């Protein structure tokens, strides 16, 4: 583009440099679009290289022996053919269900390029009385069409850049998810090594947490805190609620029977221990730890009570993070309907009665209301993922 500007002072060198670069550029764009679909073969490279050499040779011949009009016709023909090639490659990409919006916009630009170049050739043929002495002697219409063609090329380059930036962003996002998933799996494995619960306990509580959060959202309660991403993070974080038990001695954690007051005090420290473990697992880049942030809230606060009688901090009401309030009910229900060495398995009806009894005491009343709507689902999950 700079060479086109410099060539306006009459230098054939810069004019040839500009046009040959333009020919090479549109051929390279065509090859780039082909590479999005399949690897560029040696034959395709040879054909593209031959087309570039032939087109450049004809252009240089016309530069010294032909007219300005003939060079414009030649360049327009080359650029139209290149746009047709590019359009064909983009159509094949859409046929392969490539959904990037840039592809469809690029198709529109290629069609516009073809139309503009055809219009420029037609205008030159029908409305120019004599051969132009220079490219820069075109009338207002010819100049406008030339500028439009250049702007369309610029838009093509911008969209190509945007396409690659989006690919890089998607790869980065996938990498973050892989790191997050690997970290969660490692922490879950650590939690399971020391926990006295079963793997089905994790599946059940995850299902309960997700269903309670979705029901609250449907009821129009805590909507601003329950986006789809927030619910997904709660569900992923739920298995880590008791990870603090890694720091509880075996004599207390695996004791058959009731704990003494002293042992119970030690057991209660697992909430703060869980916070510490998860805080230590956080990465410096906060883009990677959104699920861990929710897991920290759940681990540290799922034994807090709505009336302030819980532990470890005695938080009350909405001082308790929403994810922890949801987890508290899910964990309580699962504990009640599961058999333990220190208690019998309660029926679903008994568990529901106990939860309703603790509405506004241990549990957020809104979460209990959501539970009431989802009782059949809880019973179904408890039976389907029951411990054998």
């Amino acid at each position: 583009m700079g060479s086109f500007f410099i060539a306006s002072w009459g230098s054939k060198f810069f004019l040839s440099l500009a046009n040959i670069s333009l020919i090479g550029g549109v051929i390279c764009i065509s090859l780039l679009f082909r590479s999005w679909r399949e690897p560029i073969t040696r034959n395709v490279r040879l054909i593209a290289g031959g087309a570039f050499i032939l087109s450049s040779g004809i252009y240089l011949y016309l530069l010294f022996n032909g007219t300005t009009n003939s060079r414009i016709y030649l360049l327009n023909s080359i650029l139209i053919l290149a746009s047709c090639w590019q359009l064909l490659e983009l159509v094949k990409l859409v046929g392969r269900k490539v959904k990037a919006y840039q592809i469809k916009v690029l198709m529109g630009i290629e069609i516009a390029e073809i139309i503009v170049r055809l219009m420029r050739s037609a205008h030159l043929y029908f409305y120019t009385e004599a051969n132009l002495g220079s490219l820069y002697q075109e009338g207002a219409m010819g100049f406008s069409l030339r500028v439009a063609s250049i702007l369309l090329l610029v838009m093509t380059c911008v969209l190509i850049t945007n396409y690659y930036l989006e690919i890089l962003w998607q790869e980065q996002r996938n990498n973050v998810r892989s790191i997050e998933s690997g970290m969660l799996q490692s922490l879950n494995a650590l939690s399971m090594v020391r926990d006295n619960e079963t793997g089905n306990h994790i599946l059940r509580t995850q299902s309960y947490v997700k269903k309670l959060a979705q029901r609250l959202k449907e009821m129009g309660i805590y909507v601003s805190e329950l986006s789809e991403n927030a619910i997904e993070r709660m569900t992923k974080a739920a298995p880590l609620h008791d990870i603090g038990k890694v720091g509880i001695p075996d004599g207390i954690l695996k004791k058959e029977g009731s704990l003494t007051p002293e042992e119970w005090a030690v057991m209660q420290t697992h909430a703060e221990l869980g916070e510490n473990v998860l805080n230590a697992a956080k990465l410096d880049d906060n883009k990677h730890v959104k699920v861990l942030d929710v897991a920290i809230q759940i681990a540290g606060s799922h034994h807090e009570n709505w009336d302030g009688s819980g532990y470890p901090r005695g938080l009350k009401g909405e001082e308790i993070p929403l994810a922890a309030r949801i987890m508290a009910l899910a964990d309580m229900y699962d504990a009640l309907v599961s058999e333990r060495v220190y208690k019998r398995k309660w029926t679903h009806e008994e568990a529901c009665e106990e939860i309703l009894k603790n509405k506004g005491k241990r549990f957020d009343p809104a979460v209990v209301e959501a539970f009431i709507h989802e009782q059949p689902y809880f019973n179904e999950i408890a039976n389907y993922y029951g411990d054998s």
Side-chain angles (χ1 to χ4, degrees), residues 39 56 69 82 95-96 117 135 150 202 206 221 226 229 231 233 242 249 262 268 291 310 331 333 343 359 367 384-385:
S56 300
N69 291 35
R96 292 193 172 192
R117 287 161 184 162
L135 175 71
I150 290 171
I202 288 176
Q206 275 189 310
I221 302 173
L226 292 172
N229 287 337
I231 293 173
R233 288 193 287 268
D242 276 338
E262 293 77 16
Q268 287 181 321
V291 173
D331 193 37
Y333 175 84
K343 60 170 283 294
K359 179 180 179 181
V367 177
Y384 187 81
Y385 291 111

Side-chain angles (χ1 to χ4, degrees), residues 27-52 85 89 92:
I27 290 175
C28 285
I29 290 173
S30 303
L31 289 171
L32 178 65
F33 290 170
R34 178 64 169 265
S35 72
W36 291 354
R37 185 167 59 87
E38 61 184 24
I40 304 298
T41 64
R42 183 171 179 271
N43 288 339
V44 172
R45 289 198 298 270
L46 287 174
I47 292 170
F52 171 70
W85 183 10
E89 297 296 343
K92 289 181 178 179

Side-chain angles (χ1 to χ4, degrees), residues 283-355:
L283 302 177
D284 292 335
D285 184 353
N286 60 12
K287 291 180 181 178
H288 295 184
V289 294
K290 290 183 178 179
V291 173
L292 283 183
D293 287 334
V294 179
I296 289 167
Q297 293 175 352
I298 290 175
S301 302
H302 73 285
H303 286 294
E304 300 285 1
N305 293 336
W306 183 256
D307 62 5
S309 62
Y311 65 88
R313 298 181 180 87
L315 300 180
K316 184 177 181 180
E318 293 190 7
E319 293 176 352
I320 308 167
L322 177 59
R325 305 201 300 269
I326 293 173
M327 186 71 230
L329 191 149
D331 193 37
M332 176 70 168
Y333 175 84
D334 196 65
L336 291 174
V337 298
S338 301
E339 186 175 354
R340 297 289 182 267
V341 293
Y342 53 85
K343 60 170 283 294
R344 68 173 178 85
K345 177 180 178 179
W346 289 29
T347 66
H348 170 73
E349 291 71 23
E350 289 173 328
C352 291
E353 183 180 346
E354 181 67 17
I355 288 172

Side-chain angles (χ1 to χ4, degrees), residues 87-307:
L87 183 60
L88 178 63
E89 297 296 343
L90 293 171
V91 168
K92 289 181 178 179
L93 274 173
V94 172
R96 292 193 172 192
K97 298 182 180 180
V98 177
K99 297 182 179 180
Y101 76 91
Q102 296 93 337
I103 303 299
K104 293 182 179 179
V105 177
L106 283 167
M107 289 172 62
I109 290 175
E110 295 304 335
I111 293 171
E113 286 271 24
I114 293 169
I115 293 171
V116 167
R117 287 161 184 162
L118 286 171
M119 288 176 62
R120 189 179 178 207
S121 293
H123 178 267
L124 185 66
Y125 182 81
F126 290 108
Y127 298 101
T128 303
E129 296 180 0
N131 282 328
L132 299 174
S134 167
L135 175 71
Y136 302 97
Q137 293 176 1
E138 283 185 292
M141 177 60 73
F143 174 77
S144 298
L145 290 171
R146 179 155 57 91
V147 170
S149 179
I150 290 171
L151 290 176
L152 288 168
L153 276 172
V154 172
M155 288 176 64
T156 298
C157 294
V158 169
L159 279 165
I160 289 170
T161 303
N162 182 265
Y163 176 77
Y164 277 106
L165 287 174
E166 188 163 313
I167 288 175
L168 288 172
W169 176 82
Q170 189 64 43
E171 287 180 353
Q172 174 69 9
R173 187 178 179 184
N174 290 338
N175 288 338
V176 168
R177 285 181 173 177
S178 296
I179 292 171
E180 184 180 83
S181 177
M183 181 178 295
L184 287 175
Q185 288 178 13
S186 298
L187 290 171
N188 284 338
L190 175 63
S191 178
M192 288 293 295
V193 166
R194 297 282 293 134
D195 200 349
N196 53 0
E197 305 288 2
T198 67
N200 284 350
H201 168 72
I202 288 176
L203 294 174
R204 292 192 299 265
T205 51
Q206 275 189 310
S207 298
Y208 300 152
V209 166
K210 184 175 183 178
K211 184 59 72 172
L212 285 173
Q214 289 174 337
R215 171 59 69 174
L216 285 167
K217 186 176 182 179
E218 290 172 9
M219 292 167 62
I221 302 173
Y222 305 130
V223 175
S224 62
E225 299 178 63
L226 292 172
S227 66
E228 288 186 13
N229 287 337
I231 293 173
E232 181 183 1
R233 288 193 287 268
M234 286 183 194
T235 306
K236 287 182 177 180
L240 299 175
H241 63 283
D242 276 338
I243 194 172
K245 289 181 179 179
V246 297
I248 303 300
D250 284 348
I252 296 175
L253 185 63
K254 299 180 179 182
K255 181 178 180 180
E256 297 184 5
S258 300
L259 300 177
T260 66
E262 293 77 16
E263 290 171 334
W264 178 240
V266 174
M267 177 62 83
Q268 287 181 321
T269 64
H270 82 273
E272 288 184 282
L273 287 172
E275 278 188 338
N276 295 335
V277 169
L278 295 172
N279 270 313
K282 286 178 64 172
L283 302 177
D284 292 335
D285 184 353
N286 60 12
K287 291 180 181 178
H288 295 184
V289 294
K290 290 183 178 179
V291 173
L292 283 183
D293 287 334
V294 179
I296 289 167
Q297 293 175 352
I298 290 175
S301 302
H302 73 285
H303 286 294
E304 300 285 1
N305 293 336
W306 183 256
D307 62 5

